[in-house]
């Protein structure tokens, strides 16, 4: 579908109310919005907060194909919390409790992808972080499959999945049915050859984050969007295009939408 979406990211989240964000995104011409499941966007993560976000999306005719796993703890060794079931108490990790909320939000929005930033975990080796990640994912995937959703892992320099190559290797080594989020900013920082990267991710690319090479608005900086578009076209990529950048100038929201629609047209050409 190559749906053009806006992510309420740095410079947007916390600066505007949820209703104002939906107004800005719709007025700028976007087709969708990423829903971050965190207190900055969904408050107390209550049913009432989720209802309000769903109603705002419907009011503005915006879809939400991507949902952000807002509590960045999936590589962190489990903290067990206790939920009461009658007279029994069952331990459940903080990560999996948050996943239940994320899954509810994703179901309400009929989302395609749950996006996970693979966070660095303090005082834990990279391998242990990835082992924890694999264990958490193995418990999340069945519910995602039942609901027709994918989990997409975002790689980033200095994180347990440093680049697309490590992302692809993690999927192949674990055999887990998960996908990758490719952020143009992270791809640029890796110095990746763009055709090669696109072809390497062909079987596992879930969505693309669109950003300038300096994390400014898309189209700014020196990232080669034309070459990357050719690579995405060659692999028949059809996932969401999610605009994610440090927003300073409000007028850039509309400019970024226009640029990303042109980027989409290059992929479809």
């Amino acid at each position: 579908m190559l749906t053009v979406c806006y992510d309420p990211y740095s410079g947007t989240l916390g600066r505007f109310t949820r209703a104002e964000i939906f107004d800005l995104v719709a007025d700028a011409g976007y087709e969708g919005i990423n829903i971050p499941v965190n207190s900055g966007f969904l408050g107390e993560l209550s049913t009432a907060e989720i209802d309000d976000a769903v109603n705002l999306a419907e009011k503005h005719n915006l879809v939400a194909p991507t949902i952000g796993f807002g509590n960045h703890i999936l590589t962190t060794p489990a903290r067990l919390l206790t939920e009461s079931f009658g007279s029994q108490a069952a331990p459940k990790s903080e990560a999996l409790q948050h996943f239940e909320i994320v899954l509810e939000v994703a179901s309400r929005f009929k989302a395609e992808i749950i996006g996970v930033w693979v966070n660095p975990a303090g005082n834990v080796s990279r391998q242990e972080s990835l082992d924890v990640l694999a264990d958490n994912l193995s418990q999340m995937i069945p519910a995602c499959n039942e609901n027709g959703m994918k989990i997409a892992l975002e790689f980033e320099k200095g994180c347990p999945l440093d680049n697309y190559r490590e992302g692809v290797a993690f999927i192949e080594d674990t055999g887990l049915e998960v996908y990758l989020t490719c952020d143009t900013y992270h791809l640029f920082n890796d110095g990746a050859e763009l055709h090669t990267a696109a072809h390497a991710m062909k079987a596992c690319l879930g969505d693309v984050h669109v950003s300038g090479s300096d994390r400014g608005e898309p189209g700014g900086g020196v990232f080669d969007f034309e070459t990357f578009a050719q690579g995405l076209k060659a692999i028949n990529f059809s996932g969401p295009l999610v605009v994610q950048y440090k927003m300073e100038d409000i007028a850039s929201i509309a400019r970024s939408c226009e640029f990303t629609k042109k980027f989409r047209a290059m992929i479809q050409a």
Side-chain angles (χ1 to χ4, degrees):
M1 291 293 290
L2 292 171
T3 307
V4 175
C5 306
Y6 186 82
D7 182 24
Y9 185 68
S10 174
T12 302
L13 199 62
R15 180 176 174 182
F16 302 100
T17 66
R18 181 166 58 230
E20 288 170 339
I21 290 171
F22 274 95
D23 284 341
L24 287 166
V25 172
D27 290 347
Y30 287 88
E31 300 151 356
I33 185 170
N34 175 62
I35 305 293
V37 183
N38 57 32
S39 59
F41 194 74
L42 290 178
E44 298 177 352
L45 309 183
S46 64
T47 300
E49 300 268 14
I50 298 168
D51 286 345
D52 181 63
V54 171
N55 291 337
L56 286 168
E58 291 176 350
K59 172 186 173 183
H60 291 291
N61 197 30
L62 291 169
V63 296
T66 62
I67 304 294
F69 195 98
N71 196 353
H72 305 306
I73 54 174
L74 284 178
T75 65
T76 306
R79 287 175 51 204
L80 292 182
L81 305 179
T82 300
E83 282 188 349
S84 296
F85 297 93
S87 60
Q88 295 182 330
K92 184 173 295 186
S93 75
E94 184 178 6
L96 294 177
Q97 283 199 12
H98 186 65
F99 171 66
E100 291 180 352
I101 300 171
V102 172
L103 187 64
E104 178 189 353
V105 174
S107 297
R108 292 291 307 279
F109 281 96
K110 298 180 175 62
E112 305 163 18
I113 292 172
I114 293 174
V116 170
W117 177 60
V118 182
N119 64 295
N123 301 317
V124 177
S125 71
R126 173 179 180 271
Q127 188 56 55
E128 186 175 355
S129 293
L130 294 179
D131 289 345
V132 171
L133 177 64
D135 181 58
N136 279 321
L137 292 173
S138 69
Q139 298 178 71
M140 294 160 57
I141 290 169
C144 288
N145 287 341
E146 288 176 10
N147 288 276
M149 299 170 194
K150 302 174 180 178
I151 296 173
L153 308 177
E154 183 173 2
F155 55 85
E156 179 179 354
K157 302 305 293 181
C159 291
L161 296 180
D162 179 270
N163 52 65
Y164 77 86
R165 297 172 299 281
E166 291 187 357
V168 171
F170 174 81
I171 294 171
E172 292 177 346
D173 292 347
T174 62
L176 292 169
E177 190 180 350
V178 292
Y179 298 79
L180 294 179
T181 292
C182 178
D183 189 311
T184 59
Y185 175 64
H186 302 324
L187 205 57
F188 175 79
N189 287 336
D190 183 51
E193 201 290 309
L194 302 180
H195 265 291
T196 301
H199 281 275
M201 292 184 284
K202 179 178 181 178
C204 60
L205 184 55
D207 61 335
V208 169
H209 286 179
V210 183
S211 171
S213 59
D214 56 357
R215 205 37 141 188
E217 67 179 274
V222 294
F223 184 81
D224 186 352
F225 280 95
E226 183 173 354
T227 296
F228 190 43
Q230 292 169 359
L232 293 177
K233 178 182 180 180
I235 66 170
N236 296 313
F237 174 71
S238 61
L241 300 172
V242 182
V243 171
Q244 185 189 81
Y245 68 104
K246 293 180 180 178
M247 197 281 290
E248 296 178 356
D249 175 12
I250 295 176
S252 70
I253 299 176
R255 289 197 302 268
S256 296
C257 181
E258 183 180 1
F259 175 85
T260 304
K261 286 181 177 179
K262 291 177 180 177
F263 176 51
R264 174 172 65 185
M266 287 190 282
I267 299 170
Q268 295 174 326

